[in-house]
Amino acid sequence: MRLKLTLLPVLAAAVALSACHRPEPAKQTAQQARAVRVVAVAPRAITGAISASGDLIPREEAAVTAEVTGFRVARVLADVGDYVKAGQTLAQLDPALLEAQLAQAQAQADQAEDQARRVQGLDGEGVLSQEQIAQRRFQAQAARANLRDLQVRMRKMAVTAPVSGLVLERTVRPGDLSAGGATPWFRLARDGQIELSADLSEDDLARVRRGQRATVTLPSGTTVTGTVRIVSPQIDPQTKLGEVRVTLPVRGDIRAGGFGRAVFEDVSGPVLAVPETAIRYDANGASVMVVGADNRVKRVAVQTGQRGSGLVQIVRGPGAGARVVENAASFLLDGDLVKPVLAGAPARPAAEPTGAAR
């Protein structure tokens, strides 16, 4: 019994001594915390954030058809894909019938002119009545007018291009009758110029300006650089969209009726944003891992907006100044303790353990 009483103080002292050398739980957890890079939610300029898709259309289209009716097409001299000059003959009508009418009109005009010359100076002489003299002069004028009309019609036998450009469509064939229908014989893209017509929201439209550059991706995957020519002065009341026209270079692989996607350059605006790598996507949607004042992380759902330059706008979520984990792929759970390292700051060398050998 005495032995047991003697051992009790010794055991108590040993327990107290071992407790002095055991690390505190909180300190031990802090030493095991992972170092992660963090970035602050802050206003940043997002460049190239606006993009839009649209149709490739001629900048200006010209329709060509015959101006005279009732004549057969003798020859067609242009086809789809041809580049034609202003005034170039695209189709030739058969002038045989008009040539006969023109010859007859010329003879009638010559006769009427002769009759008019015969009464020259006979006004008031009593040889012919004043009415007869006036009638001969009127007949000469009418004959000359009819001759000029036929001469103009003869020149219109050649159907010419009103502007220089690329032939987009041809509907006429040799033997067709010029009937003055609504369907044009040829459709031309003036100067071969094709544009991208894209619709933008009212907010995005306010950030686009004339002369601004845009990178346009064609269906083939090829990219070309265009220039904004028109920014619509009005918004469609139904769709709440406005049109932007982007002028493209004249190239054979840029075809009217095609499709393109434009990314507008030099578009910037200060919005709350974080790097794209900070956004985590899962079944619950987009989120970021926010590092609190106690250096513990918490998942916070976000609503994203514009994208560009490797940044994503935070429309709804943590406010300005909040620290978020830069790499969303980090395996972190709510409540994990971390050692935040500000992105861009030089890494601190790891501290040597106390008592390490030198």
Side-chain angles (χ1 to χ4, degrees):
M1 184 64 180
R2 182 178 296 175
L3 179 60
K4 292 181 178 180
L5 293 174
T6 305
L7 290 175
L8 286 176
V10 176
L11 291 173
V15 171
L17 184 61
S18 64
C20 292
H21 291 284
R22 184 181 303 165
E24 297 178 3
K27 185 180 295 186
Q28 185 180 22
T29 304
Q31 291 175 351
Q32 294 174 351
R34 290 177 51 190
V36 296
R37 293 169 64 86
V38 297
V39 293
V41 178
R44 293 180 172 89
I46 298 182
T47 303
I50 297 180
S51 63
S53 300
D55 297 323
L56 301 177
I57 61 174
R59 173 174 176 172
E60 184 177 348
E61 187 174 306
V64 184
T65 190
E67 297 183 53
V68 292
T69 60
F71 298 91
R72 295 286 177 185
V73 177
R75 293 178 297 162
V76 178
L77 305 175
D79 208 343
V80 173
D82 291 348
Y83 191 92
V84 297
K85 297 291 187 180
Q88 180 177 333
T89 300
L90 306 182
Q92 179 67 53
L93 300 178
D94 185 354
L97 179 61
L98 190 59
E99 286 174 346
Q101 295 175 352
L102 188 60
Q104 183 179 6
Q106 182 68 61
Q108 292 173 347
D110 291 343
Q111 182 182 15
E113 286 287 346
D114 181 65
Q115 293 292 331
R117 282 195 300 269
R118 289 176 181 272
V119 298
Q120 189 173 0
L122 297 182
D123 295 270
E125 295 293 329
V127 178
L128 291 174
S129 68
Q130 197 63 34
E131 181 180 356
Q132 290 175 320
I133 295 174
Q135 184 177 10
R136 290 191 181 188
R137 290 171 177 169
F138 173 77
Q139 289 174 343
Q141 292 175 354
R144 288 195 299 268
N146 182 53
L147 178 61
R148 285 196 298 269
D149 176 69
L150 292 174
Q151 289 172 339
V152 171
R153 289 164 66 85
M154 177 61 73
R155 290 194 293 269
K156 297 299 183 181
M157 290 292 102
V159 180
T160 60
V163 296
S164 298
L166 182 68
V167 179
L168 300 176
E169 182 181 12
R170 164 197 153 183
T171 61
V172 65
R173 302 163 300 178
D176 285 348
L177 185 67
S178 59
T183 303
W185 283 3
F186 299 92
R187 287 177 48 241
L188 307 180
R190 184 169 189 169
D191 299 325
Q193 190 74 65
I194 304 298
E195 293 185 330
L196 174 71
S197 172
D199 290 331
L200 295 177
S201 67
E202 187 173 2
D203 291 341
D204 288 344
L205 200 67
R207 299 174 58 195
V208 176
R209 63 187 182 279
R210 291 182 61 182
Q212 186 173 327
R213 297 203 314 167
T215 300
V216 177
T217 303
L218 304 176
S220 63
T222 305
T223 59
V224 296
T225 300
T227 304
V228 175
R229 185 176 69 90
I230 293 177
V231 178
S232 176
Q234 62 180 354
I235 301 295
D236 189 299
Q238 302 298 325
T239 64
K240 301 302 180 184
L241 299 175
E243 184 189 27
V244 171
R245 291 282 193 97
V246 180
T247 300
L248 302 177
V250 178
R251 292 175 34 160
D253 58 345
I254 302 179
R255 300 178 177 88
F259 182 82
R261 181 173 181 81
V263 175
F264 296 89
E265 300 177 7
D266 302 325
V267 176
S268 61
V271 294
L272 290 181
V274 296
E276 287 181 329
T277 56
I279 306 295
R280 174 183 292 188
Y281 298 94
D282 53 28
N284 296 320
S287 63
V288 293
M289 299 302 288
V290 178
V291 180
D294 58 356
N295 289 342
R296 294 189 180 274
V297 297
K298 179 183 178 181
R299 179 188 179 277
V300 177
V302 296
Q303 178 183 346
T304 60
Q306 304 171 15
R307 295 173 179 269
S309 308
L311 300 172
V312 178
Q313 179 187 7
I314 301 298
V315 178
R316 185 170 60 244
R323 299 180 301 171
V324 300
V325 178
E326 184 183 40
N327 186 4
S330 302
F331 295 100
L332 294 172
L333 300 175
D334 278 359
D336 283 354
L337 187 65
V338 297
K339 292 180 181 178
V341 178
L342 187 62
R348 295 182 179 178
E352 294 183 356
T354 304
R358 297 184 182 274

